[in-house]
Amino acid sequence: MPAVATEAPSIVEYRAWFQCIAGCPVHYSLQDIIYRCPRCGNLLEVRHDLERLRQHPPAYWKNLFDTRFLRNQWPYGSSVWGKKEMVCPEVDNANVVSTFEGGTNLFWAERLGKEIGVPELWIKQCGNSHTGSFKDLGMTVLVSMVRQMIAGGKEIPAVACASTGDTSAALAAYCAVADIPAIVFLPRDKVSVAQLIQPIAHGALTLSLDTDFDGCMALVQEICARNNIYLANSMNSLRIEGQKTVSIELVQQFDWEVPDWVIIPGGNLGNVSALGGGFLLMRDLGIISTLPRIACAQAQRANPLYQSYLNGFREFHPMQAQPTLASAIQIGNPVSVEKAIRTLQMFDGVVEQASEDELANAAARGDRTGLFNCPHTGVALAVLFKLVERGEIRSHERVVVISTANGLKFPEFKIKYHESRLADVVPQHGNFPVNLPADYTQVRDAIRRVLEQRRSGRLTAPPSPSRRGRESVP
Amino acid sequence: MPAVATEAPSIVEYRAWFQCIAGCPVHYSLQDIIYRCPRCGNLLEVRHDLERLRQHPPAYWKNLFDTRFLRNQWPYGSSVWGKKEMVCPEVDNANVVSTFEGGTNLFWAERLGKEIGVPELWIKQCGNSHTGSFKDLGMTVLVSMVRQMIAGGKEIPAVACASTGDTSAALAAYCAVADIPAIVFLPRDKVSVAQLIQPIAHGALTLSLDTDFDGCMALVQEICARNNIYLANSMNSLRIEGQKTVSIELVQQFDWEVPDWVIIPGGNLGNVSALGGGFLLMRDLGIISTLPRIACAQAQRANPLYQSYLNGFREFHPMQAQPTLASAIQIGNPVSVEKAIRTLQMFDGVVEQASEDELANAAARGDRTGLFNCPHTGVALAVLFKLVERGEIRSHERVVVISTANGLKFPEFKIKYHESRLADVVPQHGNFPVNLPADYTQVRDAIRRVLEQRRSGRLTAPPSPSRRGRESVP
């Protein structure tokens, strides 16, 4: 074991740059405003000087990351910046815009795991974060780099993104912290109320547009390209560098053991390559020696990657995504599809889908065991249940489900579920409030009735309209 | 420095018991179902064997807590259970019901602090937790003890609480994790939509009653007393033991330095005594040598403690709380008032109030700088602004504001604010979405207009109806 490293090593030595994912040889500075390869049009990715990183043995990195993890030394207490040498080494600490990212609970889902026969079931609660979703992990990197560029004299009048809700909340919050103008492009009536109010409250210019996410995505690219505005979507691979720390953190929370499976919901698909990127980097540096299998979970109504998976990824066809409760992944033309397919091929990956009924019931089933997650996590849980049922995931395997956002962003989804008001969903785990006067006897009787029902096991059944009518006094 | 303590000491040696806050000498087991002193009727509190705790020097405790903090050793990674010897030593680790409590960001509010001339302004983000409020800190202790009692053969058919929203969410979630029946008493139409759906989703029996919180509180006490149901309100001082860890964690996050001020919103007032309790315990053990001043922030419409403060705490009169946006502290007859007054007297305390206009504008001002907090945090921020303005808090002092819950629980509050639909509130920091077709030229022009306004400083003014009308295409 090396000595305990409490101080950051001299990180100016570490280098990273943009390079084309197809391998075109040119390097671009992370301070260049560039998202695609000028030669071939492919997306860029951030590459690191692996030789430099390999100068330290794996034990050095594990120890360094553990020493910094959630501690008080700015900015290394953030689980993203605690891995700074592998994320974005050139940002000055003074320019870091951070809300103490990562370190979210890796929740042992003991009850749910027992129910499905997979005792080692863990839910990575990425939604317990500053803006309520995993997007904080990447946005801290992007906005910090923007602050660095502005500090260096670069003219950046604003930062913009298209969003299905979570990205815009994160961009707006981080820009509010740093006092940088933010512009968010949202598809009108396709994000939740909570997701709409986040950028508004943070003072962002919030454009509510008569189109879907794919329309917003096309427009924001044109606006940014022609108006010198900086693009914050995940095609800007600075975001991916922050998001990839979720893999490192997962392994860190398992005392540097690799799980067997990671299940992640997929829409625009930047997160799939980010997840894979973290694992590959750790393997390249000898921090881990195996890779998990990755399952990408799509909503049946926005499943272009699933369709491609069915044909062995030989073809990919963008589609018109249909309205789905999993609104954040209602995306038919995912920007990061090529990176995602490449990742899935390296991780013995699986793509599976969930219907509206499946995702809503899976989310509610999770809630009954103490979770409180977004509908997209519902998609991932539904896919988990399917993979277990068909024996692809086996009972001795250690499984992690990435919960991408907090259920508090989606109260309408949950209320409508329990009120049986979701189209195409038959609630299997419904519950409802009992309205009563503040009267001792009536309250006591209601409690006795329900405890009796619970004892006899009847409470796990969905409420019948008649029982609901009897106990409700509207 | 003592050697690094990675293992828990043999904690069966540590002892704690219930004892009357008025000093009646009888000790009661923490497994007794008892909330008030049978002799004098006062509330009970948990007392610890301080002689035993003092057998270790302060450096031992600081090192032990730092070693465990947010690490992987169950259950000590939870910041509550990491301080187990001082919280609830007799719970077996196997009975602990935890979601990795505490460790929330102590956010340096750099922008807001600069605006008000208090550079050392810190916001303790207790709402970035499993159920979105600071209540998790106490509920993990209570529900763990219930699990222990049930495991020991005690007959506890259910656990119940009255709530203004946050307590019920926490009780329901922890009981769902542990598979224990939960019953929540909510005042009808006086909690937010998100707060109502939390216990429903977790499968709790959710009683929506035609009364206010004080009415729910009276009824739940009667129900519990006469039906052998365990009471989970903060008059059950097991909750206070968990909540007091917020003080220890605060100091820990400042490298064991004590801030000058802590501002906390106050309703039922259990949290004031919990906050004080943590500091007093640390002082008794020599971990700290000074105490902060505590400011309790009340909503003007539910301000019985403020009224009492004005007469030097000579008298206290319960009141009929009026409807307030700060719904979680709409309490006129606080159960823990005596403990709170005792605490404030020891901490050179201040009580201040905030009107509806003040609390809503303070919350929105915070949001503009990257926060996203509940209306009760708005009350605390408004009180901060007042105390700074009148020179009670001075510019060189280090100030911590306890943010009690996540703003995601209160989207309606925020939307109505920005739509100028809150009664008695004139928005000073309003913003609004701009509805547009997905058309390049129109979007570009809207962006240019707003960036130009921002450059000329006009964007900080509240939107005029005409401007709003011009930019909105409803």
Side-chain angles (χ1 to χ4, degrees):
Chain A
M1 284 287 290
V4 174
T6 51
E7 289 301 309
S10 171
I11 57 181
V12 288
E13 307 165 43
Y14 296 94
R15 289 187 320 114
W17 59 87
F18 288 130
Q19 194 171 345
C20 172
I21 62 168
C24 298
V26 185
H27 293 196
Y28 304 93
S29 160
L30 296 188
Q31 300 206 31
D32 287 348
I33 300 180
I34 186 169
Y35 318 108
R36 287 188 180 278
C37 175
R39 294 186 174 201
C40 72
N42 261 303
L43 288 180
L44 302 175
E45 63 189 356
V46 174
R47 296 223 181 145
H48 293 268
D49 180 353
L50 291 177
E51 288 313 310
R52 177 67 189 85
L53 292 169
R54 282 200 199 99
Q55 286 175 15
H56 291 293
Y60 170 87
W61 293 115
K62 291 192 271 190
N63 186 60
L64 180 69
F65 296 164
D66 283 346
T67 305
R68 292 169 172 172
F69 189 60
L70 305 177
R71 291 301 190 267
N72 301 340
Q73 196 194 0
W74 174 269
Y76 304 107
S78 157
S79 183
V80 171
W81 295 103
K83 294 146 182 99
K84 182 176 175 182
E85 295 81 357
M86 299 184 187
V87 171
C88 195
E90 77 185 79
V91 170
D92 291 341
N93 287 350
N95 289 324
V96 167
V97 184
S98 170
T99 65
F100 205 61
E101 296 74 24
T104 51
N105 189 15
L106 183 57
F107 176 79
W108 180 38
E110 185 181 6
R111 273 188 76 188
L112 191 58
K114 261 187 201 153
E115 282 180 21
I116 65 170
V118 179
E120 283 273 344
L121 176 61
W122 302 77
I123 315 290
K124 182 60 177 164
Q125 297 277 48
C126 297
N128 286 357
S129 78
H130 189 76
T131 75
S133 88
F134 76 107
K135 301 285 186 179
D136 292 7
L137 299 175
M139 203 56 81
T140 182
V141 178
L142 184 135
V143 175
S144 298
M145 186 55 96
V146 170
R147 180 141 89 172
Q148 174 127 333
M149 290 192 282
I150 291 173
K154 209 157 225 164
E155 176 84 14
I156 297 180
V159 185
C161 73
S163 177
T164 52
D166 290 332
T167 302
S168 49
L171 177 65
Y174 281 83
C175 282
V177 170
D179 201 9
I180 294 169
I183 306 167
V184 306
F185 291 57
L186 293 172
R188 192 185 308 182
D189 300 330
K190 293 185 186 71
V191 304
S192 77
V193 172
Q195 288 176 314
L196 178 63
I197 192 60
Q198 287 182 287
I200 291 172
H202 292 311
L205 171 55
T206 304
L207 302 171
S208 184
L209 302 174
D210 290 330
T211 180
D212 58 8
F213 171 79
D214 296 306
C216 289
M217 189 69 223
L219 193 56
V220 75
Q221 291 184 60
E222 189 181 358
I223 287 282
C224 286
R226 293 169 60 180
N227 296 274
N228 194 33
I229 288 170
Y230 195 72
L231 180 66
N233 279 93
S234 61
M235 61 182 288
N236 183 329
S237 57
L238 288 172
R239 293 237 337 263
I240 303 296
E241 290 310 287
Q243 286 180 26
K244 81 179 182 201
T245 61
V246 75
S247 316
I248 308 177
E249 184 175 305
L250 269 182
V251 172
Q252 187 175 15
Q253 289 180 310
F254 283 130
D255 292 330
W256 301 101
E257 286 177 12
V258 179
D260 298 300
W261 283 90
V262 182
I263 305 177
I264 190 165
N268 215 21
L269 299 176
N271 59 352
V272 173
S273 64
L275 183 74
F279 284 110
L280 292 172
L281 181 62
M282 284 189 285
R283 195 186 58 174
D284 284 349
L285 298 177
I287 295 171
I288 59 175
S289 55
T290 61
L291 297 176
R293 294 186 69 184
I294 291 178
C296 178
Q298 289 215 300
Q300 193 171 327
R301 292 193 176 161
N303 66 353
L305 187 69
Y306 175 71
Q307 296 295 344
S308 174
Y309 172 73
L310 291 182
N311 67 43
F313 295 131
R314 281 186 300 278
E315 292 174 17
F316 176 84
H317 301 291
M319 63 184 289
Q320 178 68 43
Q322 299 305 307
T324 167
L325 295 165
S327 51
I329 54 176
Q330 183 183 323
I331 296 173
N333 188 14
V335 166
S336 299
V337 64
E338 287 180 51
K339 287 185 185 181
I341 290 175
R342 210 175 47 163
T343 300
L344 288 166
Q345 287 172 331
M346 282 188 281
F347 283 79
D348 195 9
V350 173
V351 185
E352 188 46 90
Q353 63 177 1
S355 69
E356 300 299 289
D357 185 73
E358 289 165 341
L359 76 88
N361 276 304
R365 186 176 178 183
D367 290 351
R368 277 289 177 114
T369 65
L371 297 168
F372 195 77
N373 295 132
C374 62
H376 323 95
T377 307
V379 174
L381 290 172
V383 163
L384 163 72
F385 301 156
K386 285 185 177 181
L387 295 180
V388 171
E389 211 157 273
R390 72 169 184 244
E392 189 126 11
I393 290 178
R394 287 163 299 171
S395 63
H396 67 276
E397 293 185 304
R398 177 178 275 182
V399 181
V400 176
V401 174
I402 305 287
S403 172
T404 44
N406 199 312
L408 288 172
K409 290 192 174 200
F410 298 90
E412 306 92 343
F413 161 69
K414 292 181 186 288
I415 283 174
K416 286 183 182 167
Y417 174 88
H418 289 284
E419 291 181 347
S420 297
R421 290 197 287 119
L422 293 178
D424 307 315
V425 174
V426 179
Q428 302 296 319
H429 310 278
N431 190 18
F432 43 88
V434 178
N435 297 315
L436 284 175
D439 171 78
Y440 175 82
T441 310
Q442 291 191 51
V443 168
R444 182 202 61 195
D445 291 348
I447 291 172
R448 284 187 180 169
R449 196 160 57 237
V450 169
L451 289 180
E452 179 48 44
Q453 285 166 349
R454 190 182 162 110
R455 263 191 294 270
S456 63
R458 271 179 292 149
L459 247 198
T460 53
S464 70
S466 67
R467 199 178 94 204
R468 189 170 159 192
R470 198 178 70 237
E471 294 197 348
S472 267
V473 184
Chain B
M1 283 288 289
V4 174
T6 52
E7 288 301 308
S10 171
I11 57 179
V12 288
E13 307 165 43
Y14 297 94
R15 290 188 317 115
W17 58 88
F18 287 130
Q19 195 170 343
C20 172
I21 61 168
C24 298
V26 185
H27 294 195
Y28 304 92
S29 160
L30 296 187
Q31 299 206 30
D32 287 347
I33 299 180
I34 187 170
Y35 318 109
R36 288 187 180 278
C37 176
R39 296 186 173 200
C40 72
N42 261 304
L43 288 179
L44 302 175
E45 63 188 356
V46 175
R47 294 222 184 148
H48 293 268
D49 181 353
L50 291 177
E51 288 314 309
R52 177 68 189 85
L53 291 169
R54 282 199 199 99
Q55 286 175 14
H56 292 294
Y60 170 87
W61 292 116
K62 290 192 272 189
N63 186 61
L64 181 68
F65 296 165
D66 283 346
T67 306
R68 293 169 171 173
F69 189 59
L70 305 176
R71 291 302 190 267
N72 300 341
Q73 195 194 0
W74 173 267
Y76 304 107
S78 157
S79 182
V80 170
W81 295 103
K83 294 145 183 99
K84 182 176 174 182
E85 294 81 358
M86 299 185 188
V87 170
C88 196
E90 77 187 78
V91 170
D92 291 341
N93 287 350
N95 290 323
V96 166
V97 184
S98 171
T99 64
F100 205 61
E101 297 74 23
T104 51
N105 188 16
L106 183 56
F107 176 78
W108 180 37
E110 185 182 7
R111 269 188 78 188
L112 191 58
K114 262 187 201 153
E115 283 180 21
I116 64 170
V118 179
E120 282 274 344
L121 175 61
W122 301 77
I123 315 291
K124 181 60 176 163
Q125 298 277 48
C126 296
N128 285 358
S129 78
H130 190 76
T131 76
S133 87
F134 76 107
K135 303 285 187 180
D136 292 5
L137 299 174
M139 203 56 82
T140 182
V141 177
L142 184 137
V143 175
S144 298
M145 185 56 94
V146 170
R147 179 140 90 174
Q148 175 126 333
M149 292 191 282
I150 291 172
K154 208 155 226 163
E155 177 82 15
I156 297 180
V159 185
C161 73
S163 178
T164 51
D166 290 331
T167 303
S168 50
L171 177 66
Y174 281 83
C175 283
V177 170
D179 202 10
I180 294 170
I183 307 169
V184 306
F185 290 57
L186 293 172
R188 191 184 309 181
D189 300 332
K190 293 184 185 70
V191 304
S192 76
V193 171
Q195 288 176 314
L196 177 63
I197 191 61
Q198 286 182 286
I200 292 172
H202 292 312
L205 171 55
T206 304
L207 301 171
S208 184
L209 300 175
D210 290 330
T211 180
D212 59 8
F213 171 79
D214 296 305
C216 290
M217 190 67 225
L219 193 55
V220 75
Q221 290 184 60
E222 189 181 358
I223 287 282
C224 287
R226 293 169 61 181
N227 296 275
N228 195 31
I229 288 170
Y230 194 74
L231 181 66
N233 279 94
S234 60
M235 61 182 289
N236 183 329
S237 56
L238 288 171
R239 294 240 333 266
I240 303 295
E241 290 311 287
Q243 286 180 26
K244 81 179 182 201
T245 61
V246 75
S247 317
I248 309 177
E249 183 175 304
L250 270 183
V251 172
Q252 188 174 15
Q253 289 180 309
F254 284 130
D255 292 329
W256 302 101
E257 285 177 14
V258 179
D260 299 298
W261 283 90
V262 182
I263 304 176
I264 189 166
N268 216 20
L269 300 177
N271 59 353
V272 174
S273 63
L275 183 73
F279 284 111
L280 291 172
L281 182 63
M282 284 189 285
R283 195 186 57 174
D284 284 349
L285 298 177
I287 295 172
I288 60 173
S289 55
T290 61
L291 297 177
R293 294 186 70 186
I294 291 179
C296 177
Q298 290 216 299
Q300 193 170 325
R301 291 191 177 164
N303 66 352
L305 188 69
Y306 175 72
Q307 296 295 343
S308 175
Y309 172 74
L310 290 183
N311 67 44
F313 295 131
R314 281 187 299 277
E315 294 174 13
F316 176 83
H317 301 289
M319 63 185 289
Q320 177 68 43
Q322 299 304 307
T324 166
L325 295 164
S327 51
I329 54 176
Q330 184 182 325
I331 295 174
N333 189 13
V335 167
S336 298
V337 64
E338 287 180 51
K339 285 185 185 180
I341 289 176
R342 210 176 47 164
T343 301
L344 289 167
Q345 288 172 331
M346 281 187 283
F347 284 78
D348 194 8
V350 172
V351 186
E352 188 45 89
Q353 65 177 0
S355 68
E356 300 299 288
D357 186 72
E358 289 165 342
L359 76 89
N361 276 304
R365 186 176 177 183
D367 290 351
R368 277 290 177 114
T369 65
L371 297 168
F372 196 76
N373 296 132
C374 63
H376 322 96
T377 307
V379 174
L381 290 172
V383 163
L384 163 73
F385 301 156
K386 284 184 178 183
L387 295 180
V388 170
E389 212 158 89
R390 70 170 185 242
E392 190 127 11
I393 291 178
R394 287 164 300 171
S395 63
H396 67 278
E397 291 184 306
R398 177 178 277 181
V399 181
V400 175
V401 173
I402 305 286
S403 172
T404 44
N406 198 313
L408 288 172
K409 290 193 174 199
F410 298 91
E412 305 92 341
F413 162 69
K414 292 181 186 289
I415 283 174
K416 285 183 182 168
Y417 175 89
H418 289 283
E419 292 181 345
S420 297
R421 290 197 288 118
L422 294 178
D424 307 315
V425 174
V426 179
Q428 303 296 318
H429 310 278
N431 191 18
F432 44 88
V434 178
N435 297 315
L436 285 175
D439 172 78
Y440 175 82
T441 309
Q442 290 191 49
V443 168
R444 182 202 60 194
D445 291 348
I447 291 172
R448 284 186 180 170
R449 198 161 55 236
V450 170
L451 289 180
E452 178 49 42
Q453 284 165 350
R454 188 180 163 112
R455 262 191 293 271
S456 62
R458 272 177 293 149
L459 249 198
T460 53
S464 68
S466 67
R467 201 178 93 205
R468 189 167 159 197
R470 198 178 70 236
E471 294 198 350
S472 267
V473 185

